[in-house]
Amino acid sequence: MANAALSAGPRPGDGYVQSFARGLDVIRSFSAAAPRQTLTDVAARSGLTRAGARRILLTLQALGYVRSDGRHYALTPRILDLGFAYLSSMPIWNLAEPVMERLVDQVKESCSAAVLDGTDIVYVLRVPTRKIMSIGLGVGSRLPAACTSMGRVLLAGLPDTEVEALLRAAPPAAHTRHTLTDPEAVLAKVRQARRQGWCLVNQELEEGLVSLAAPIVNRAGETVAALNISGQANRTPPRQMQELMLPALLAAAADISKRLLA
Amino acid sequence: MANAALSAGPRPGDGYVQSFARGLDVIRSFSAAAPRQTLTDVAARSGLTRAGARRILLTLQALGYVRSDGRHYALTPRILDLGFAYLSSMPIWNLAEPVMERLVDQVKESCSAAVLDGTDIVYVLRVPTRKIMSIGLGVGSRLPAACTSMGRVLLAGLPDTEVEALLRAAPPAAHTRHTLTDPEAVLAKVRQARRQGWCLVNQELEEGLVSLAAPIVNRAGETVAALNISGQANRTPPRQMQELMLPALLAAAADISKRLLA
């Protein structure tokens, strides 16, 4: 869906939109590095005046999204309801998990599902394997689309003009000595993913990490998510990963796509 | 942390607080039953006028939290950033997962962690086992505290007066023929959990489901989360579950509590 109705609505400059945006920014100012913040911390991290930050914090507190001992503020678990509203509204969310669990049993590597959000992919489901060195990416984690297998499969679901615009908006950054940073080279990989219906990325995000992805497609033929398996290059060389695991991954992605139609 | 600063702040009746609350209510109106909504749907589900719902939807769209084809509205994955801010701000979040994975390996049953939010528990971490009939409760799911093992362990971390107030606010509802619905009986179980440092709940939430929980305690001695193992009564009778799995669960909860101190 495009932002067709946007022109008729409020603009980022509107007072109302701005205050709502600031409220959400205050929520996002909490993190592992800042789990409990003073008013001063919140104001600094979200670029607000102390008075503005105070008004928003007290609003969030009145609504039960923030708690305070008078000096420090922290988020409450009620915040999760918001993300849960999104996850449970995804058609694939309930359908995909059992299929992903069977895939993990089969290939003995972790399996994840992600969707595209601008130039990022966002993890929406993850079934970890029990191995040491399993990759710690929980639901809600973001990675750049350009250098990940799920990202390239998701970009392959867009027209080339949109992919080019996204690559211009966020030029691919180097994460390892293998990362493709030339937009043309990334676009070529995206086109290859589109032609072959899957994608392998070899250590472009992290040294040693190899990842294989396939698209999940709805009844309108749109790519709505990507499914991946990731493993360690020193344990399973990329060629072997492709031979051993690609058929199972493609079957799982096709199975989930078929369930979406039902 | 109590709501000490609340009295000095905006009240739910304030215009600003109300509009912010409505914005969050609109986010929460999306669900598995309503993944894509028209303006009319959203207005009906969140109790707003069409004009009010439209203003909020267009605000959320301008901020990238909602997308639209002009007629239908849906949430975007950006919503997950809000929940992610909460999860990553929890001290136990990174510490607990490896300990929980070892516990699942040991006992071959699923393990979860939850926190208290009013009269509910909210799941913040889950490590499923690969068994058929694993219980499908993802992060962000809510269950009533009164009839769950994690709930009783979390209530045990509060003074009796607070527990009594919570039980008055949401009188325990019957979920199975085993559910304790008398507040006094639930309070007795909470006190028992406090004395013994763990809790077993036998089929009070769901027929066949047995669950064992222990508290995770921070350096101030406060119960910050609960850890549980759940299994099937017909596979592992409650007595056997207690004998076989309680020592491992208590060790895992103590391990996570110790890491919180470091």
Side-chain angles (χ1 to χ4, degrees), chain A residues 8-68:
Chain A
R11 299 311 190 99
D14 282 13
Y16 180 72
V17 179
Q18 263 189 0
S19 6
F20 198 80
R22 282 178 185 151
L24 298 178
D25 285 347
V26 164
I27 293 176
R28 293 164 67 148
S29 74
F30 292 87
S31 66
R36 292 170 73 240
Q37 300 188 81
T38 62
L39 179 55
T40 312
D41 297 335
V42 170
R45 277 209 184 74
S46 45
L48 296 172
T49 61
R50 277 174 58 90
R54 183 167 180 280
R55 184 157 170 73
I56 288 168
L57 281 169
L58 294 177
T59 296
L60 288 169
Q61 191 179 352
L63 298 174
Y65 290 95
V66 157
R67 65 206 166 100
S68 174

Side-chain angles (χ1 to χ4, degrees), chain A residues 1-6 8-12 14 16-17 19-25 27-36 54-56 58-70 72-91 93-94 97 101 104-105 115-117 122-124 126-131 134 138-142, chain B residues 1-6 8-12 14 16-17 19-25 27-36 54-56 58-70 72-91 93-94 97 101 104-105 115-117 122-124 126-131 134 138-142:
Chain A
M1 287 187 269
N3 279 333
L6 189 59
R11 299 311 190 99
D14 282 13
Y16 180 72
V17 179
S19 6
F20 198 80
R22 282 178 185 151
L24 298 178
D25 285 347
I27 293 176
R28 293 164 67 148
S29 74
F30 292 87
S31 66
R36 292 170 73 240
R54 183 167 180 280
R55 184 157 170 73
I56 288 168
L58 294 177
T59 296
L60 288 169
Q61 191 179 352
L63 298 174
Y65 290 95
V66 157
R67 65 206 166 100
S68 174
D69 58 7
H72 289 96
Y73 297 84
L75 297 178
T76 74
R78 184 174 297 255
I79 293 286
L80 287 179
D81 289 355
L82 305 175
F84 199 58
Y86 166 71
L87 288 172
S88 66
S89 75
M90 289 194 69
W93 202 57
N94 282 311
E97 199 166 12
E101 294 199 347
V104 170
D105 260 354
V115 297
L116 197 63
D117 187 35
V122 181
Y123 280 71
V124 293
R126 177 175 165 251
V127 177
T129 176
R130 297 272 165 276
K131 280 183 186 148
S134 78
V139 165
S141 302
R142 284 173 178 267
Chain B
M1 286 188 267
N3 280 332
L6 190 59
R11 298 312 189 100
D14 280 14
Y16 180 73
V17 179
S19 11
F20 198 81
R22 282 177 184 154
L24 298 178
D25 285 346
I27 293 176
R28 294 165 66 149
S29 74
F30 291 88
S31 67
R36 293 169 72 240
R54 182 167 180 279
R55 184 158 169 73
I56 288 167
L58 295 177
T59 296
L60 288 170
Q61 191 177 354
L63 298 173
Y65 290 95
V66 157
R67 66 205 165 101
S68 174
D69 57 7
H72 289 97
Y73 296 84
L75 297 178
T76 74
R78 185 174 297 255
I79 293 286
L80 287 178
D81 289 354
L82 305 175
F84 199 58
Y86 166 71
L87 287 172
S88 66
S89 75
M90 289 193 67
W93 201 58
N94 283 312
E97 198 167 11
E101 295 199 347
V104 169
D105 260 355
V115 297
L116 197 64
D117 187 33
V122 181
Y123 280 70
V124 293
R126 178 177 164 248
V127 177
T129 176
R130 297 271 165 276
K131 280 183 188 149
S134 78
V139 165
S141 302
R142 283 174 179 268

